[in-house]
Amino acid sequence: MLLDYIVPCIYAFFACFAFCLVFIIKDKNVILISCLGGSLGWFAYLLAGQFMSVVSQNLVAAIVVGLFAEIMSRVMKAPATIFLIIGILPMVPGGGIYYTMEYAVYGNTEMFLEKGLQTFAISAAIAFGVSISSSIFRLFRYNKCNSK
């Protein structure tokens, strides 16, 4: 049971690590923490899978990665975008995009619409999750600055 969660998170870590190598990120600490964010996001995705739909899973995972990126950007004194982009990588619906295009090319309109709408919903959930986490941090920062 535990391996069903740990092994995919390790795979997500290495996928994020490979992404860091392709884009030549030089800071080793940023690479490690970003890959950890990807693993954490995938863990949240897997945990939410027991209770929620695929779109809701991606929303929860994006919120977790977004909050992680905001926290790590303060700790590491680096832009949150670095941690966010790498952390969200395992959730990107690449397979959905591929199959949407495949159904479009072969003329399978029903499956094209179904897969296309699902892929769009997942992408929107990821974007919304990132926006929510960013807004939460801005609200806390605004309240903290106004209380002084």
Side-chain angles (χ1 to χ4, degrees):
M1 180 72 180
L2 186 61
L3 285 178
D4 293 338
Y5 293 106
I6 301 297
V7 173
C9 292
I10 293 170
Y11 291 155
F13 181 89
F14 285 118
C16 293
F17 183 76
F19 185 78
C20 291
L21 292 179
V22 169
F23 285 94
I24 312 170
I25 298 174
K26 296 184 192 284
D27 190 355
K28 293 176 184 169
N29 292 329
V30 170
I31 291 173
L32 181 66
I33 291 173
S34 299
C35 296
L36 216 73
S39 295
L40 180 67
W42 196 249
F43 185 70
Y45 176 85
L46 293 174
L47 282 180
Q50 296 178 350
F51 311 107
M52 302 176 180
S53 68
V54 175
V55 176
S56 300
Q57 281 178 276
N58 280 288
L59 176 67
V60 168
I63 291 171
V64 168
V65 170
L67 291 173
F68 180 81
E70 293 287 341
I71 292 168
M72 287 299 116
S73 72
R74 275 29 172 217
V75 171
M76 299 292 294
K77 294 182 177 36
T81 311
I82 297 170
F83 304 109
L84 189 61
I85 290 173
I86 296 168
I88 281 186
L89 182 70
M91 291 178 281
V92 172
I97 296 168
Y98 173 82
Y99 288 116
T100 300
M101 288 294 100
E102 182 181 33
Y103 294 137
V105 168
Y106 289 130
N108 190 345
T109 309
E110 182 180 336
M111 288 303 294
F112 165 74
L113 289 173
E114 180 181 335
K115 194 54 123 172
L117 287 174
Q118 181 185 24
T119 303
F120 178 76
I122 290 170
S123 300
I126 292 171
F128 191 61
V130 169
S131 298
I132 288 173
S133 61
S134 178
S135 298
I136 289 170
F137 255 80
R138 288 175 199 256
L139 282 173
F140 282 123
R141 187 171 179 198
Y142 178 77
N143 287 337
K144 184 178 177 184
C145 290
N146 282 344
S147 66
K148 291 181 179 180

PDB file of all heavy atoms in Angstrom, residues 4 16 27 31 39 53-54 69 87 90 98 114 122-123 128 132-133 135-136 142 146:
ATOM      1  N   ASP A   4       2.549   2.075  -3.256  1.00  0.00           N
ATOM      2  CA  ASP A   4       1.693   2.683  -4.270  1.00  0.00           C
ATOM      3  C   ASP A   4       1.791   4.202  -4.260  1.00  0.00           C
ATOM      4  O   ASP A   4       1.418   4.857  -5.236  1.00  0.00           O
ATOM      5  CB  ASP A   4       0.233   2.267  -4.052  1.00  0.00           C
ATOM      6  CG  ASP A   4       0.020   0.786  -4.292  1.00  0.00           C
ATOM      7  OD1 ASP A   4       0.834   0.171  -4.999  1.00  0.00           O
ATOM      8  OD2 ASP A   4      -0.974   0.249  -3.757  1.00  0.00           O
ATOM      9  N   CYS A  16      11.209  15.533 -12.640  1.00  0.00           N
ATOM     10  CA  CYS A  16      11.523  16.951 -12.397  1.00  0.00           C
ATOM     11  C   CYS A  16      13.021  17.196 -12.494  1.00  0.00           C
ATOM     12  O   CYS A  16      13.466  18.225 -13.018  1.00  0.00           O
ATOM     13  CB  CYS A  16      11.009  17.380 -11.028  1.00  0.00           C
ATOM     14  SG  CYS A  16       9.220  17.394 -10.891  1.00  0.00           S
ATOM     15  N   ASP A  27      21.864  25.981  -9.896  1.00  0.00           N
ATOM     16  CA  ASP A  27      21.877  25.936  -8.436  1.00  0.00           C
ATOM     17  C   ASP A  27      21.366  24.578  -7.953  1.00  0.00           C
ATOM     18  O   ASP A  27      20.207  24.217  -8.157  1.00  0.00           O
ATOM     19  CB  ASP A  27      21.021  27.069  -7.870  1.00  0.00           C
ATOM     20  CG  ASP A  27      21.172  27.231  -6.374  1.00  0.00           C
ATOM     21  OD1 ASP A  27      21.859  26.413  -5.744  1.00  0.00           O
ATOM     22  OD2 ASP A  27      20.604  28.197  -5.839  1.00  0.00           O
ATOM     23  N   ILE A  31      17.484  22.974  -7.554  1.00  0.00           N
ATOM     24  CA  ILE A  31      17.107  21.733  -8.249  1.00  0.00           C
ATOM     25  C   ILE A  31      16.507  20.746  -7.257  1.00  0.00           C
ATOM     26  O   ILE A  31      15.430  20.193  -7.497  1.00  0.00           O
ATOM     27  CB  ILE A  31      18.320  21.110  -8.970  1.00  0.00           C
ATOM     28  CG1 ILE A  31      18.743  21.978 -10.144  1.00  0.00           C
ATOM     29  CG2 ILE A  31      18.001  19.696  -9.442  1.00  0.00           C
ATOM     30  CD1 ILE A  31      20.029  21.529 -10.808  1.00  0.00           C
ATOM     31  N   SER A  39       7.538  16.081  -6.240  1.00  0.00           N
ATOM     32  CA  SER A  39       7.166  14.858  -5.521  1.00  0.00           C
ATOM     33  C   SER A  39       6.035  15.112  -4.537  1.00  0.00           C
ATOM     34  O   SER A  39       5.106  14.308  -4.416  1.00  0.00           O
ATOM     35  CB  SER A  39       8.369  14.303  -4.758  1.00  0.00           C
ATOM     36  OG  SER A  39       9.356  13.890  -5.647  1.00  0.00           O
ATOM     37  N   SER A  53     -12.369  13.618  -8.002  1.00  0.00           N
ATOM     38  CA  SER A  53     -12.220  13.376  -9.437  1.00  0.00           C
ATOM     39  C   SER A  53     -10.825  13.816  -9.884  1.00  0.00           C
ATOM     40  O   SER A  53     -10.076  14.430  -9.131  1.00  0.00           O
ATOM     41  CB  SER A  53     -13.275  14.166 -10.210  1.00  0.00           C
ATOM     42  OG  SER A  53     -13.012  15.550 -10.115  1.00  0.00           O
ATOM     43  N   VAL A  54     -10.492  13.538 -11.136  1.00  0.00           N
ATOM     44  CA  VAL A  54      -9.176  13.880 -11.677  1.00  0.00           C
ATOM     45  C   VAL A  54      -8.961  15.393 -11.672  1.00  0.00           C
ATOM     46  O   VAL A  54      -7.868  15.877 -11.356  1.00  0.00           O
ATOM     47  CB  VAL A  54      -9.018  13.303 -13.105  1.00  0.00           C
ATOM     48  CG1 VAL A  54      -7.715  13.741 -13.722  1.00  0.00           C
ATOM     49  CG2 VAL A  54      -9.122  11.799 -13.086  1.00  0.00           C
ATOM     50  N   ALA A  69       5.912  26.369  -3.349  1.00  0.00           N
ATOM     51  CA  ALA A  69       6.767  27.280  -4.120  1.00  0.00           C
ATOM     52  C   ALA A  69       6.871  28.643  -3.448  1.00  0.00           C
ATOM     53  O   ALA A  69       7.949  29.239  -3.399  1.00  0.00           O
ATOM     54  CB  ALA A  69       6.219  27.427  -5.539  1.00  0.00           C
ATOM     55  N   GLY A  87       7.693  22.104 -10.146  1.00  0.00           N
ATOM     56  CA  GLY A  87       6.805  21.333  -9.287  1.00  0.00           C
ATOM     57  C   GLY A  87       5.514  20.901  -9.966  1.00  0.00           C
ATOM     58  O   GLY A  87       4.959  19.854  -9.659  1.00  0.00           O
ATOM     59  N   PRO A  90       4.899  17.282 -13.204  1.00  0.00           N
ATOM     60  CA  PRO A  90       4.273  15.951 -13.234  1.00  0.00           C
ATOM     61  C   PRO A  90       2.754  15.967 -13.467  1.00  0.00           C
ATOM     62  O   PRO A  90       2.187  14.962 -13.880  1.00  0.00           O
ATOM     63  CB  PRO A  90       4.581  15.369 -11.851  1.00  0.00           C
ATOM     64  CG  PRO A  90       5.773  16.107 -11.381  1.00  0.00           C
ATOM     65  CD  PRO A  90       5.644  17.483 -11.957  1.00  0.00           C
ATOM     66  N   TYR A  98      -2.202  14.772 -26.233  1.00  0.00           N
ATOM     67  CA  TYR A  98      -1.854  13.856 -27.320  1.00  0.00           C
ATOM     68  C   TYR A  98      -3.092  13.122 -27.838  1.00  0.00           C
ATOM     69  O   TYR A  98      -3.343  13.077 -29.042  1.00  0.00           O
ATOM     70  CB  TYR A  98      -0.803  12.850 -26.849  1.00  0.00           C
ATOM     71  CG  TYR A  98      -0.529  11.771 -27.855  1.00  0.00           C
ATOM     72  CD1 TYR A  98       0.330  11.997 -28.910  1.00  0.00           C
ATOM     73  CD2 TYR A  98      -1.144  10.522 -27.756  1.00  0.00           C
ATOM     74  CE1 TYR A  98       0.576  11.010 -29.860  1.00  0.00           C
ATOM     75  CE2 TYR A  98      -0.910   9.531 -28.686  1.00  0.00           C
ATOM     76  CZ  TYR A  98      -0.044   9.781 -29.732  1.00  0.00           C
ATOM     77  OH  TYR A  98       0.186   8.802 -30.659  1.00  0.00           O
ATOM     78  N   GLU A 114     -14.730  14.768 -25.696  1.00  0.00           N
ATOM     79  CA  GLU A 114     -14.641  14.279 -24.316  1.00  0.00           C
ATOM     80  C   GLU A 114     -13.237  14.475 -23.751  1.00  0.00           C
ATOM     81  O   GLU A 114     -13.061  15.042 -22.669  1.00  0.00           O
ATOM     82  CB  GLU A 114     -15.024  12.797 -24.270  1.00  0.00           C
ATOM     83  CG  GLU A 114     -14.959  12.200 -22.879  1.00  0.00           C
ATOM     84  CD  GLU A 114     -15.312  10.722 -22.871  1.00  0.00           C
ATOM     85  OE1 GLU A 114     -16.034  10.261 -23.777  1.00  0.00           O
ATOM     86  OE2 GLU A 114     -14.842  10.039 -21.950  1.00  0.00           O
ATOM     87  N   ILE A 122      -8.558  19.976 -16.631  1.00  0.00           N
ATOM     88  CA  ILE A 122      -7.362  19.718 -15.818  1.00  0.00           C
ATOM     89  C   ILE A 122      -6.419  20.912 -15.872  1.00  0.00           C
ATOM     90  O   ILE A 122      -5.905  21.362 -14.844  1.00  0.00           O
ATOM     91  CB  ILE A 122      -6.654  18.423 -16.284  1.00  0.00           C
ATOM     92  CG1 ILE A 122      -7.503  17.203 -15.911  1.00  0.00           C
ATOM     93  CG2 ILE A 122      -5.261  18.311 -15.680  1.00  0.00           C
ATOM     94  CD1 ILE A 122      -7.025  15.907 -16.528  1.00  0.00           C
ATOM     95  N   SER A 123      -6.203  21.447 -17.057  1.00  0.00           N
ATOM     96  CA  SER A 123      -5.327  22.610 -17.209  1.00  0.00           C
ATOM     97  C   SER A 123      -5.879  23.810 -16.446  1.00  0.00           C
ATOM     98  O   SER A 123      -5.127  24.544 -15.789  1.00  0.00           O
ATOM     99  CB  SER A 123      -5.171  22.967 -18.681  1.00  0.00           C
ATOM    100  OG  SER A 123      -4.624  21.893 -19.391  1.00  0.00           O
ATOM    101  N   PHE A 128      -5.949  27.476 -11.803  1.00  0.00           N
ATOM    102  CA  PHE A 128      -6.743  27.998 -10.692  1.00  0.00           C
ATOM    103  C   PHE A 128      -6.074  27.696  -9.349  1.00  0.00           C
ATOM    104  O   PHE A 128      -6.062  28.540  -8.449  1.00  0.00           O
ATOM    105  CB  PHE A 128      -8.154  27.422 -10.756  1.00  0.00           C
ATOM    106  CG  PHE A 128      -9.126  28.078  -9.838  1.00  0.00           C
ATOM    107  CD1 PHE A 128      -9.423  29.430  -9.950  1.00  0.00           C
ATOM    108  CD2 PHE A 128      -9.764  27.347  -8.847  1.00  0.00           C
ATOM    109  CE1 PHE A 128     -10.327  30.036  -9.089  1.00  0.00           C
ATOM    110  CE2 PHE A 128     -10.671  27.938  -7.988  1.00  0.00           C
ATOM    111  CZ  PHE A 128     -10.948  29.292  -8.109  1.00  0.00           C
ATOM    112  N   ILE A 132      -4.925  30.409  -6.609  1.00  0.00           N
ATOM    113  CA  ILE A 132      -5.408  30.360  -5.222  1.00  0.00           C
ATOM    114  C   ILE A 132      -4.239  30.435  -4.242  1.00  0.00           C
ATOM    115  O   ILE A 132      -4.260  31.222  -3.299  1.00  0.00           O
ATOM    116  CB  ILE A 132      -6.247  29.089  -4.972  1.00  0.00           C
ATOM    117  CG1 ILE A 132      -7.589  29.189  -5.671  1.00  0.00           C
ATOM    118  CG2 ILE A 132      -6.440  28.851  -3.475  1.00  0.00           C
ATOM    119  CD1 ILE A 132      -8.398  27.908  -5.621  1.00  0.00           C
ATOM    120  N   SER A 133      -3.210  29.627  -4.475  1.00  0.00           N
ATOM    121  CA  SER A 133      -2.079  29.614  -3.543  1.00  0.00           C
ATOM    122  C   SER A 133      -1.342  30.952  -3.547  1.00  0.00           C
ATOM    123  O   SER A 133      -0.927  31.443  -2.498  1.00  0.00           O
ATOM    124  CB  SER A 133      -1.126  28.470  -3.867  1.00  0.00           C
ATOM    125  OG  SER A 133      -0.611  28.617  -5.173  1.00  0.00           O
ATOM    126  N   SER A 135      -2.692  33.853  -4.234  1.00  0.00           N
ATOM    127  CA  SER A 135      -3.580  34.811  -3.570  1.00  0.00           C
ATOM    128  C   SER A 135      -3.556  34.648  -2.057  1.00  0.00           C
ATOM    129  O   SER A 135      -3.590  35.647  -1.319  1.00  0.00           O
ATOM    130  CB  SER A 135      -5.008  34.633  -4.074  1.00  0.00           C
ATOM    131  OG  SER A 135      -5.080  34.895  -5.444  1.00  0.00           O
ATOM    132  N   ILE A 136      -3.493  33.426  -1.585  1.00  0.00           N
ATOM    133  CA  ILE A 136      -3.417  33.182  -0.143  1.00  0.00           C
ATOM    134  C   ILE A 136      -2.172  33.840   0.439  1.00  0.00           C
ATOM    135  O   ILE A 136      -2.233  34.525   1.462  1.00  0.00           O
ATOM    136  CB  ILE A 136      -3.436  31.662   0.160  1.00  0.00           C
ATOM    137  CG1 ILE A 136      -4.823  31.081  -0.125  1.00  0.00           C
ATOM    138  CG2 ILE A 136      -3.015  31.384   1.596  1.00  0.00           C
ATOM    139  CD1 ILE A 136      -4.875  29.571  -0.090  1.00  0.00           C
ATOM    140  N   TYR A 142      -0.216  40.947   2.843  1.00  0.00           N
ATOM    141  CA  TYR A 142      -0.909  42.234   2.944  1.00  0.00           C
ATOM    142  C   TYR A 142      -1.368  42.486   4.375  1.00  0.00           C
ATOM    143  O   TYR A 142      -1.188  43.571   4.910  1.00  0.00           O
ATOM    144  CB  TYR A 142      -2.099  42.258   1.981  1.00  0.00           C
ATOM    145  CG  TYR A 142      -2.908  43.532   2.041  1.00  0.00           C
ATOM    146  CD1 TYR A 142      -2.431  44.691   1.433  1.00  0.00           C
ATOM    147  CD2 TYR A 142      -4.128  43.565   2.692  1.00  0.00           C
ATOM    148  CE1 TYR A 142      -3.165  45.867   1.494  1.00  0.00           C
ATOM    149  CE2 TYR A 142      -4.876  44.730   2.752  1.00  0.00           C
ATOM    150  CZ  TYR A 142      -4.389  45.874   2.148  1.00  0.00           C
ATOM    151  OH  TYR A 142      -5.110  47.034   2.208  1.00  0.00           O
ATOM    152  N   ASN A 146      -0.020  45.451   6.910  1.00  0.00           N
ATOM    153  CA  ASN A 146      -0.982  46.422   7.447  1.00  0.00           C
ATOM    154  C   ASN A 146      -1.076  46.375   8.969  1.00  0.00           C
ATOM    155  O   ASN A 146      -1.489  47.349   9.588  1.00  0.00           O
ATOM    156  CB  ASN A 146      -2.354  46.207   6.835  1.00  0.00           C
ATOM    157  CG  ASN A 146      -2.427  46.779   5.430  1.00  0.00           C
ATOM    158  OD1 ASN A 146      -1.590  47.570   5.025  1.00  0.00           O
ATOM    159  ND2 ASN A 146      -3.422  46.349   4.685  1.00  0.00           N
TER     160      ASN A 146
END
